[in-house]
Amino acid sequence: MTDPVIIVGASMGGLRVAEALRRAGYTGPITAFGDEPYPPYNRPPLSKEVLASDVSLEAVQFPQRDATADVNWVLNTRIERTDLASNSLTDEHGHSHTFSALIIATGIRSKRAEWANPVMTGRHAVRSLDDAIALRAALNPGTKVVVYGAGFIGCETAATARKLGCDVTIVAPGVEPIARYLGLDFAQWIRAAHDAHGVQFRMQSRIDNTIGDDRITGVVLDDGSTLECDVLIEAIGSIPNVEWLAGNDLDLSDGVLTNTAMQAVRTDGTVVTNVFALGDVARFPNALFDDEPRRVEHWNIPTDTAKRVAEVAAAQLAGSDSVDEIVAKRFAPVPSFWSDQYDIHMLAYGIVGLADRSEMLHNTFDDDEFCVGYYRGDELVGVCGVGMRNVVMGYRAKVGSSA
Amino acid sequence: MTIKIDVDMTKCQHYGQCVFEAPDVFRLNSDDKLEYVAEVDDSERGNVEAAIDICPMQAIFIVD
Ligand SMILES: Cc1cc2nc3c(=O)[nH]c(=O)nc-3n(C[C@H](O)[C@H](O)[C@H](O)COP(=O)(O)OP(=O)(O)OC[C@H]3O[C@@H](n4cnc5c(N)ncnc54)[C@H](O)[C@@H]3O)c2cc1C
Ligand code: SF4
């Protein structure tokens, strides 16, 4: 029997690549390992509407298609080790599995802070369905919540907790929420929206320790002051899940480094042609911007990179003569992103973080709706709007070009 | 052959991601609200499936 294509990570990226492999004509066996107990589900609602209402698998599970009905999903099973020299993996039960091609779709996990006080009860993160179920159970009207971190997930979770009637304080080291990403003016506008909804801020502050014996009762900030809380939500960034790939000379310095065909690259720069990475864990060059590899934690990336992996892998596995041609094809997906906080709907395209300046393109920060362009020199590297979707969408095709 | 499309308008947040995948089926009107053709030729199936995949709210369905 031929060895299967093995996908590690049974989330959106894993599902999308299985579908794309079938669409690209690969008919051989596919096995997908996932360490969560659930089939692939949609994460963004976990900090937004699902957290506010009904946190259940039914509310977030991806529909599965007939074309992937024969994929062997092995859930609740973590892959522990990889030996690329023998094309084999070892799972947490000590079983080994050989593959024809390996697809790395293990995503990222929430970074957790380390404090001297070891209390854990009452500390939460928001990455998985189990995280969201646990958090939802802890959020009740009047619950005192501290959100540590003012990125998108921190701000969305704060907004949702507020909607649920909690007292919410955001503590973060930056000057304004999401400022590093959106720029100071936009960030001030977002902060004003949170202020209007009664969220408190302790910006330019770090949490030095927690207070509490069995459960958390508060936090100590770096200026020595304390904040009472029943729930602490840590939203301070993420760590790529790559430990299981160690010892194979892959470049794992920030996720899995790949070439433009999403094939893994070793530390010496050589390519492992039958090992691919996609989604949040992949650090890949995007021809839309330049040849600098980057990880992009945006929702369309698992789908777009999965298609790219599938076209290359399917051609390779079929022994097609056109593999080199397919590998050399330009790969330039437009990252797309959205965020919901209260009744604010933000939509963005490109990589706003690459910009050295921003410019208001439509309306002003005094309006309910506006659209900001982000530039690196003359090149439009991103666009982000509140409301006015037709306008924002009109810029999608211009991302990566000089305006 | 045609396919029937249903969008759960209680879920749809009018993000318009579907518009890029199947522009002949989905569009945002001048109020930025989603409009779509409820029954389209089977030749659109691939595009509609791509729209289903990329819809952030997972609001689009093909009714068979
Ligand atoms: C709360 C939240 C809100 C978000 N909101 C938005 C948004 O509004 N807009 C947007 O564009 N994006 C958003 N995102 C980002 C988006 O959800 C991600 O980009 C997407 O989930 C990435 O998919 P992935 O398949 O690459 O990785 P993941 O979804 O992280 O999947 C990786 C899977 O692999 C499993 N795994 C890890 N290691 C192993 C191992 N060794 N063995 C087996 N299995 C393993 C993990 O448990 C996980 O199930 C949000 C994410 C979160 C968490
Ligand atoms: S992509 Fe989904 S949420 Fe967005 S407009 Fe289309 S159906 Fe609505």
Side-chain angles (χ1 to χ4, degrees):
Chain A
M1 223 184 78
T2 50
D3 284 329
V5 170
I6 292 186
I7 302 167
V8 182
S11 181
M12 176 154 75
L15 173 64
R16 293 292 179 247
V17 77
E19 291 170 346
L21 279 167
R22 291 295 184 239
R23 235 179 251 139
Y26 172 73
T27 55
I30 303 177
T31 300
F33 290 94
D35 62 358
E36 293 188 73
Y38 310 110
Y41 61 85
N42 196 18
R43 290 182 204 276
L46 300 180
S47 53
K48 308 183 181 73
E49 67 284 351
V50 161
L51 184 61
S53 53
D54 154 39
V55 193
S56 65
L57 180 61
E58 295 70 56
V60 288
Q61 189 176 348
F62 285 118
Q64 299 221 14
R65 303 219 168 90
D66 296 347
T68 45
D70 60 353
V71 172
N72 179 21
W73 296 97
V74 186
L75 302 177
N76 249 326
T77 304
R78 159 174 293 272
I79 297 298
E80 297 271 334
R81 281 192 313 279
T82 309
D83 179 34
L84 293 185
S86 62
N87 284 338
S88 73
L89 305 173
T90 308
D91 69 26
E92 60 180 311
H93 309 296
H95 301 301
S96 69
H97 307 272
T98 52
F99 55 80
S100 54
L102 171 64
I103 300 175
I104 300 163
T106 42
I108 56 181
R109 62 179 180 274
S110 307
K111 190 188 277 178
R112 302 302 294 266
E114 283 177 31
W115 289 298
N117 182 26
V119 63
M120 280 310 292
T121 309
R123 283 179 60 180
H124 293 264
V126 203
R127 180 75 200 171
S128 67
L129 179 56
D130 283 341
D131 290 341
I133 291 171
L135 179 58
R136 178 66 188 85
L139 297 179
N140 296 301
T143 303
K144 292 194 193 69
V145 176
V146 167
V147 178
Y148 193 25
F152 279 105
I153 292 186
C155 286
E156 287 179 355
T157 312
T160 305
R162 203 54 211 121
K163 211 187 275 179
L164 290 167
C166 305
D167 288 339
V168 181
T169 306
I170 295 180
V171 178
V175 180
E176 295 288 349
I178 329 186
R180 203 176 37 161
Y181 188 79
L182 291 177
L184 211 51
D185 299 343
F186 204 145
Q188 277 162 355
W189 185 88
I190 290 180
R191 174 163 175 174
H194 282 274
D195 281 339
H197 283 89
V199 170
Q200 311 285 317
F201 282 91
R202 294 294 293 270
M203 297 305 293
Q204 293 175 280
S205 301
R206 289 174 199 278
I207 295 179
D208 272 355
N209 207 355
T210 57
I211 307 170
D213 301 327
D214 302 334
R215 341 182 15 98
I216 195 164
T217 57
V219 292
V220 185
L221 304 191
D222 53 359
D223 64 357
S225 64
T226 59
L227 286 173
E228 272 182 48
C229 71
D230 312 303
V231 169
L232 172 61
I233 302 171
E234 292 163 49
I236 52 173
S238 54
I239 301 172
N241 293 317
V242 294
E243 292 79 0
W244 61 282
L245 291 160
N248 291 284
D249 294 325
L250 295 176
D251 185 332
L252 306 174
S253 47
D254 174 23
V256 180
L257 177 65
T258 76
N259 62 9
T260 61
M262 306 308 294
Q263 292 164 309
V265 176
R266 295 190 187 88
T267 46
D268 65 5
T270 56
V271 172
V272 193
T273 53
N274 70 331
V275 176
F276 301 84
L278 55 78
D280 281 7
V281 77
R283 184 159 65 95
F284 65 99
N286 186 336
L288 198 58
F289 304 105
D290 45 40
D291 50 17
E292 178 70 31
R294 295 182 186 89
R295 285 195 313 104
V296 185
E297 297 173 15
H298 287 189
W299 198 82
N300 72 305
I301 292 298
T303 302
D304 286 339
T305 51
K307 284 184 193 151
R308 181 68 176 141
V309 169
E311 66 173 351
V312 178
Q316 225 172 53
L317 291 161
S320 155
D321 323 323
S322 54
V323 175
D324 291 346
E325 214 174 290
I326 295 173
V327 166
K329 262 172 52 177
R330 184 172 187 265
F331 182 55
V334 185
S336 77
F337 184 86
W338 78 98
S339 177
D340 297 329
Q341 297 165 41
Y342 314 106
D343 51 356
I344 302 164
H345 298 292
M346 287 170 43
L347 177 61
Y349 292 106
I351 306 183
V352 164
L354 296 182
D356 45 48
R357 71 190 167 90
S358 65
E359 196 176 296
M360 183 60 82
L361 298 174
H362 296 270
N363 293 352
T364 71
F365 287 115
D366 292 330
D367 296 300
D368 294 341
E369 297 193 302
F370 52 82
C371 176
V372 180
Y374 292 84
Y375 296 87
R376 180 172 63 178
D378 287 337
E379 178 196 4
L380 183 72
V381 286
V383 58
C384 183
V386 170
M388 43 179 25
R389 300 220 174 86
N390 269 307
V391 171
V392 182
M393 283 162 62
Y395 284 99
R396 182 179 184 266
K398 297 183 184 136
V399 170
S401 61
S402 293
Chain B
M1 274 283 284
T2 59
I3 51 172
K4 289 204 179 73
I5 296 163
D6 185 30
V7 178
D8 181 341
M9 294 313 281
T10 63
K11 283 188 168 176
C12 172
Q13 292 284 350
H14 314 280
Y15 286 113
Q17 305 295 80
C18 50
V19 176
F20 295 105
E21 301 296 341
D24 294 338
V25 182
F26 303 97
R27 67 178 188 125
L28 294 191
N29 68 19
S30 51
D31 292 329
D32 285 341
K33 295 279 181 269
L34 178 73
E35 286 178 354
Y36 63 100
V37 188
E39 191 165 348
V40 296
D41 191 75
D42 202 49
S43 60
E44 283 284 343
R45 183 180 288 270
N47 294 343
V48 173
E49 285 186 351
I52 291 174
D53 286 357
I54 210 72
C55 169
M57 309 314 291
Q58 294 288 291
I60 308 171
F61 303 90
I62 292 178
V63 254
D64 286 315

mmCIF file of all heavy atoms in Angstrom, chain B residues 2-29:
data_model
loop_
_atom_site.group_PDB
_atom_site.id
_atom_site.type_symbol
_atom_site.label_atom_id
_atom_site.label_comp_id
_atom_site.label_asym_id
_atom_site.label_seq_id
_atom_site.Cartn_x
_atom_site.Cartn_y
_atom_site.Cartn_z
ATOM 1 N N THR B 2 -29.141 23.440 -12.170
ATOM 2 C CA THR B 2 -28.850 24.649 -11.380
ATOM 3 C C THR B 2 -28.570 24.237 -9.932
ATOM 4 O O THR B 2 -28.884 23.123 -9.535
ATOM 5 C CB THR B 2 -30.048 25.628 -11.374
ATOM 6 O OG1 THR B 2 -31.172 24.957 -10.822
ATOM 7 C CG2 THR B 2 -30.369 26.127 -12.768
ATOM 8 N N ILE B 3 -27.971 25.141 -9.194
ATOM 9 C CA ILE B 3 -27.824 24.922 -7.756
ATOM 10 C C ILE B 3 -28.539 26.053 -7.013
ATOM 11 O O ILE B 3 -28.589 27.182 -7.488
ATOM 12 C CB ILE B 3 -26.343 24.843 -7.310
ATOM 13 C CG1 ILE B 3 -25.528 26.030 -7.830
ATOM 14 C CG2 ILE B 3 -25.717 23.534 -7.746
ATOM 15 C CD1 ILE B 3 -24.126 26.095 -7.268
ATOM 16 N N LYS B 4 -29.081 25.689 -5.855
ATOM 17 C CA LYS B 4 -29.785 26.694 -5.043
ATOM 18 C C LYS B 4 -28.877 27.115 -3.893
ATOM 19 O O LYS B 4 -28.229 26.293 -3.259
ATOM 20 C CB LYS B 4 -31.072 26.099 -4.477
ATOM 21 C CG LYS B 4 -32.145 25.876 -5.517
ATOM 22 C CD LYS B 4 -33.527 25.854 -4.829
ATOM 23 C CE LYS B 4 -34.652 25.665 -5.826
ATOM 24 N NZ LYS B 4 -34.730 24.292 -6.370
ATOM 25 N N ILE B 5 -28.867 28.427 -3.663
ATOM 26 C CA ILE B 5 -27.981 28.978 -2.643
ATOM 27 C C ILE B 5 -28.814 29.608 -1.539
ATOM 28 O O ILE B 5 -29.822 30.259 -1.804
ATOM 29 C CB ILE B 5 -27.061 30.048 -3.266
ATOM 30 C CG1 ILE B 5 -26.167 29.377 -4.309
ATOM 31 C CG2 ILE B 5 -26.222 30.748 -2.217
ATOM 32 C CD1 ILE B 5 -25.525 30.340 -5.242
ATOM 33 N N ASP B 6 -28.367 29.380 -0.313
ATOM 34 C CA ASP B 6 -29.041 30.008 0.815
ATOM 35 C C ASP B 6 -27.986 30.704 1.678
ATOM 36 O O ASP B 6 -26.936 30.122 1.947
ATOM 37 C CB ASP B 6 -29.784 28.941 1.627
ATOM 38 C CG ASP B 6 -30.600 29.569 2.748
ATOM 39 O OD1 ASP B 6 -31.051 30.723 2.562
ATOM 40 O OD2 ASP B 6 -30.758 28.926 3.795
ATOM 41 N N VAL B 7 -28.238 31.939 2.041
ATOM 42 C CA VAL B 7 -27.349 32.618 2.982
ATOM 43 C C VAL B 7 -28.147 32.888 4.253
ATOM 44 O O VAL B 7 -29.247 33.442 4.199
ATOM 45 C CB VAL B 7 -26.802 33.944 2.406
ATOM 46 C CG1 VAL B 7 -25.921 34.639 3.435
ATOM 47 C CG2 VAL B 7 -26.024 33.693 1.124
ATOM 48 N N ASP B 8 -27.594 32.439 5.364
ATOM 49 C CA ASP B 8 -28.234 32.665 6.655
ATOM 50 C C ASP B 8 -27.999 34.136 7.033
ATOM 51 O O ASP B 8 -26.917 34.508 7.499
ATOM 52 C CB ASP B 8 -27.618 31.718 7.691
ATOM 53 C CG ASP B 8 -28.264 31.881 9.066
ATOM 54 O OD1 ASP B 8 -28.909 32.933 9.299
ATOM 55 O OD2 ASP B 8 -28.109 30.975 9.892
ATOM 56 N N MET B 9 -29.027 34.955 6.796
ATOM 57 C CA MET B 9 -28.851 36.406 6.990
ATOM 58 C C MET B 9 -28.770 36.779 8.468
ATOM 59 O O MET B 9 -28.400 37.914 8.797
ATOM 60 C CB MET B 9 -29.967 37.189 6.279
ATOM 61 C CG MET B 9 -29.907 37.060 4.753
ATOM 62 S SD MET B 9 -28.266 37.307 4.017
ATOM 63 C CE MET B 9 -28.155 39.072 4.041
ATOM 64 N N THR B 10 -29.081 35.839 9.379
ATOM 65 C CA THR B 10 -28.859 36.147 10.790
ATOM 66 C C THR B 10 -27.373 36.022 11.130
ATOM 67 O O THR B 10 -26.899 36.578 12.111
ATOM 68 C CB THR B 10 -29.664 35.219 11.724
ATOM 69 O OG1 THR B 10 -29.207 33.878 11.540
ATOM 70 C CG2 THR B 10 -31.147 35.279 11.413
ATOM 71 N N LYS B 11 -26.630 35.251 10.304
ATOM 72 C CA LYS B 11 -25.188 35.096 10.538
ATOM 73 C C LYS B 11 -24.367 36.092 9.723
ATOM 74 O O LYS B 11 -23.343 36.576 10.179
ATOM 75 C CB LYS B 11 -24.734 33.690 10.121
ATOM 76 C CG LYS B 11 -25.077 32.585 11.093
ATOM 77 C CD LYS B 11 -24.379 31.313 10.627
ATOM 78 C CE LYS B 11 -24.410 30.217 11.664
ATOM 79 N NZ LYS B 11 -23.799 28.987 11.121
ATOM 80 N N CYS B 12 -24.792 36.338 8.479
ATOM 81 C CA CYS B 12 -24.011 37.162 7.543
ATOM 82 C C CYS B 12 -23.729 38.530 8.135
ATOM 83 O O CYS B 12 -24.626 39.205 8.643
ATOM 84 C CB CYS B 12 -24.770 37.323 6.234
ATOM 85 S SG CYS B 12 -24.009 38.502 5.105
ATOM 86 N N GLN B 13 -22.458 38.934 8.128
ATOM 87 C CA GLN B 13 -22.087 40.263 8.615
ATOM 88 C C GLN B 13 -21.708 41.186 7.459
ATOM 89 O O GLN B 13 -21.037 42.188 7.655
ATOM 90 C CB GLN B 13 -20.932 40.170 9.619
ATOM 91 C CG GLN B 13 -21.315 39.492 10.918
ATOM 92 C CD GLN B 13 -22.134 40.388 11.835
ATOM 93 O OE1 GLN B 13 -22.263 41.582 11.579
ATOM 94 N NE2 GLN B 13 -22.699 39.804 12.876
ATOM 95 N N HIS B 14 -22.064 40.784 6.237
ATOM 96 C CA HIS B 14 -21.866 41.630 5.051
ATOM 97 C C HIS B 14 -20.387 41.979 4.840
ATOM 98 O O HIS B 14 -20.068 43.113 4.518
ATOM 99 C CB HIS B 14 -22.732 42.891 5.148
ATOM 100 C CG HIS B 14 -24.129 42.587 5.558
ATOM 101 N ND1 HIS B 14 -25.083 42.115 4.677
ATOM 102 C CD2 HIS B 14 -24.732 42.597 6.768
ATOM 103 C CE1 HIS B 14 -26.209 41.875 5.342
ATOM 104 N NE2 HIS B 14 -26.019 42.155 6.613
ATOM 105 N N TYR B 15 -19.509 41.016 5.072
ATOM 106 C CA TYR B 15 -18.084 41.268 4.873
ATOM 107 C C TYR B 15 -17.694 41.290 3.398
ATOM 108 O O TYR B 15 -16.614 41.754 3.057
ATOM 109 C CB TYR B 15 -17.237 40.210 5.582
ATOM 110 C CG TYR B 15 -17.214 40.388 7.066
ATOM 111 C CD1 TYR B 15 -17.813 39.469 7.905
ATOM 112 C CD2 TYR B 15 -16.599 41.501 7.620
ATOM 113 C CE1 TYR B 15 -17.799 39.638 9.271
ATOM 114 C CE2 TYR B 15 -16.588 41.678 8.982
ATOM 115 C CZ TYR B 15 -17.186 40.746 9.807
ATOM 116 O OH TYR B 15 -17.172 40.928 11.145
ATOM 117 N N GLY B 16 -18.517 40.666 2.555
ATOM 118 C CA GLY B 16 -18.250 40.729 1.123
ATOM 119 C C GLY B 16 -17.100 39.860 0.631
ATOM 120 O O GLY B 16 -16.680 39.997 -0.516
ATOM 121 N N GLN B 17 -16.587 38.973 1.472
ATOM 122 C CA GLN B 17 -15.495 38.109 1.011
ATOM 123 C C GLN B 17 -15.966 37.209 -0.138
ATOM 124 O O GLN B 17 -15.221 36.914 -1.063
ATOM 125 C CB GLN B 17 -14.966 37.228 2.154
ATOM 126 C CG GLN B 17 -14.522 37.973 3.397
ATOM 127 C CD GLN B 17 -13.331 38.864 3.154
ATOM 128 O OE1 GLN B 17 -13.463 39.971 2.637
ATOM 129 N NE2 GLN B 17 -12.157 38.406 3.495
ATOM 130 N N CYS B 18 -17.228 36.794 -0.066
ATOM 131 C CA CYS B 18 -17.809 35.931 -1.094
ATOM 132 C C CYS B 18 -17.813 36.606 -2.464
ATOM 133 O O CYS B 18 -17.750 35.937 -3.491
ATOM 134 C CB CYS B 18 -19.233 35.546 -0.698
ATOM 135 S SG CYS B 18 -20.258 36.968 -0.228
ATOM 136 N N VAL B 19 -17.868 37.927 -2.476
ATOM 137 C CA VAL B 19 -17.971 38.673 -3.725
ATOM 138 C C VAL B 19 -16.761 38.426 -4.618
ATOM 139 O O VAL B 19 -16.873 38.332 -5.837
ATOM 140 C CB VAL B 19 -18.120 40.188 -3.423
ATOM 141 C CG1 VAL B 19 -18.139 41.010 -4.700
ATOM 142 C CG2 VAL B 19 -19.361 40.444 -2.582
ATOM 143 N N PHE B 20 -15.573 38.286 -3.978
ATOM 144 C CA PHE B 20 -14.360 38.082 -4.765
ATOM 145 C C PHE B 20 -14.314 36.683 -5.369
ATOM 146 O O PHE B 20 -13.700 36.468 -6.399
ATOM 147 C CB PHE B 20 -13.119 38.316 -3.907
ATOM 148 C CG PHE B 20 -12.997 39.744 -3.447
ATOM 149 C CD1 PHE B 20 -13.272 40.086 -2.148
ATOM 150 C CD2 PHE B 20 -12.637 40.739 -4.352
ATOM 151 C CE1 PHE B 20 -13.183 41.400 -1.723
ATOM 152 C CE2 PHE B 20 -12.545 42.052 -3.946
ATOM 153 C CZ PHE B 20 -12.818 42.394 -2.624
ATOM 154 N N GLU B 21 -14.946 35.729 -4.712
ATOM 155 C CA GLU B 21 -14.891 34.344 -5.192
ATOM 156 C C GLU B 21 -15.949 34.069 -6.258
ATOM 157 O O GLU B 21 -15.700 33.299 -7.185
ATOM 158 C CB GLU B 21 -15.073 33.365 -4.016
ATOM 159 C CG GLU B 21 -14.024 33.500 -2.918
ATOM 160 C CD GLU B 21 -12.607 33.170 -3.387
ATOM 161 O OE1 GLU B 21 -12.439 32.499 -4.431
ATOM 162 O OE2 GLU B 21 -11.658 33.610 -2.705
ATOM 163 N N ALA B 22 -17.120 34.658 -6.088
ATOM 164 C CA ALA B 22 -18.207 34.402 -7.042
ATOM 165 C C ALA B 22 -18.936 35.707 -7.350
ATOM 166 O O ALA B 22 -20.077 35.935 -6.948
ATOM 167 C CB ALA B 22 -19.175 33.359 -6.458
ATOM 168 N N PRO B 23 -18.266 36.586 -8.124
ATOM 169 C CA PRO B 23 -18.824 37.927 -8.364
ATOM 170 C C PRO B 23 -20.143 37.906 -9.140
ATOM 171 O O PRO B 23 -20.897 38.877 -9.064
ATOM 172 C CB PRO B 23 -17.718 38.637 -9.165
ATOM 173 C CG PRO B 23 -16.786 37.580 -9.624
ATOM 174 C CD PRO B 23 -16.934 36.407 -8.723
ATOM 175 N N ASP B 24 -20.432 36.830 -9.855
ATOM 176 C CA ASP B 24 -21.697 36.786 -10.586
ATOM 177 C C ASP B 24 -22.856 36.311 -9.702
ATOM 178 O O ASP B 24 -24.004 36.282 -10.129
ATOM 179 C CB ASP B 24 -21.578 35.865 -11.814
ATOM 180 C CG ASP B 24 -20.607 36.453 -12.832
ATOM 181 O OD1 ASP B 24 -20.395 37.686 -12.790
ATOM 182 O OD2 ASP B 24 -20.050 35.688 -13.631
ATOM 183 N N VAL B 25 -22.523 35.905 -8.471
ATOM 184 C CA VAL B 25 -23.552 35.375 -7.577
ATOM 185 C C VAL B 25 -23.808 36.331 -6.409
ATOM 186 O O VAL B 25 -24.947 36.545 -6.008
ATOM 187 C CB VAL B 25 -23.126 33.987 -7.030
ATOM 188 C CG1 VAL B 25 -24.218 33.403 -6.140
ATOM 189 C CG2 VAL B 25 -22.780 33.044 -8.180
ATOM 190 N N PHE B 26 -22.717 36.902 -5.886
ATOM 191 C CA PHE B 26 -22.831 37.735 -4.684
ATOM 192 C C PHE B 26 -22.373 39.153 -4.985
ATOM 193 O O PHE B 26 -21.438 39.369 -5.756
ATOM 194 C CB PHE B 26 -21.920 37.192 -3.564
ATOM 195 C CG PHE B 26 -22.207 35.760 -3.190
ATOM 196 C CD1 PHE B 26 -21.449 34.723 -3.721
ATOM 197 C CD2 PHE B 26 -23.227 35.456 -2.300
ATOM 198 C CE1 PHE B 26 -21.703 33.401 -3.370
ATOM 199 C CE2 PHE B 26 -23.490 34.137 -1.950
ATOM 200 C CZ PHE B 26 -22.725 33.105 -2.487
ATOM 201 N N ARG B 27 -23.019 40.129 -4.364
ATOM 202 C CA ARG B 27 -22.499 41.498 -4.398
ATOM 203 C C ARG B 27 -22.990 42.250 -3.167
ATOM 204 O O ARG B 27 -23.943 41.832 -2.499
ATOM 205 C CB ARG B 27 -22.927 42.226 -5.671
ATOM 206 C CG ARG B 27 -24.399 42.491 -5.744
ATOM 207 C CD ARG B 27 -24.712 43.258 -7.030
ATOM 208 N NE ARG B 27 -26.112 43.672 -7.000
ATOM 209 C CZ ARG B 27 -26.527 44.912 -7.145
ATOM 210 N NH1 ARG B 27 -25.674 45.897 -7.345
ATOM 211 N NH2 ARG B 27 -27.808 45.203 -7.101
ATOM 212 N N LEU B 28 -22.300 43.334 -2.846
ATOM 213 C CA LEU B 28 -22.806 44.221 -1.803
ATOM 214 C C LEU B 28 -23.519 45.373 -2.505
ATOM 215 O O LEU B 28 -22.978 45.965 -3.438
ATOM 216 C CB LEU B 28 -21.666 44.766 -0.932
ATOM 217 C CG LEU B 28 -20.886 43.772 -0.067
ATOM 218 C CD1 LEU B 28 -19.989 44.522 0.912
ATOM 219 C CD2 LEU B 28 -21.787 42.814 0.687
ATOM 220 N N ASN B 29 -24.715 45.695 -2.079
ATOM 221 C CA ASN B 29 -25.442 46.798 -2.708
ATOM 222 C C ASN B 29 -24.915 48.142 -2.188
ATOM 223 O O ASN B 29 -23.973 48.189 -1.397
ATOM 224 C CB ASN B 29 -26.959 46.631 -2.515
ATOM 225 C CG ASN B 29 -27.373 46.793 -1.063
ATOM 226 O OD1 ASN B 29 -26.641 47.355 -0.254
ATOM 227 N ND2 ASN B 29 -28.554 46.298 -0.744
#
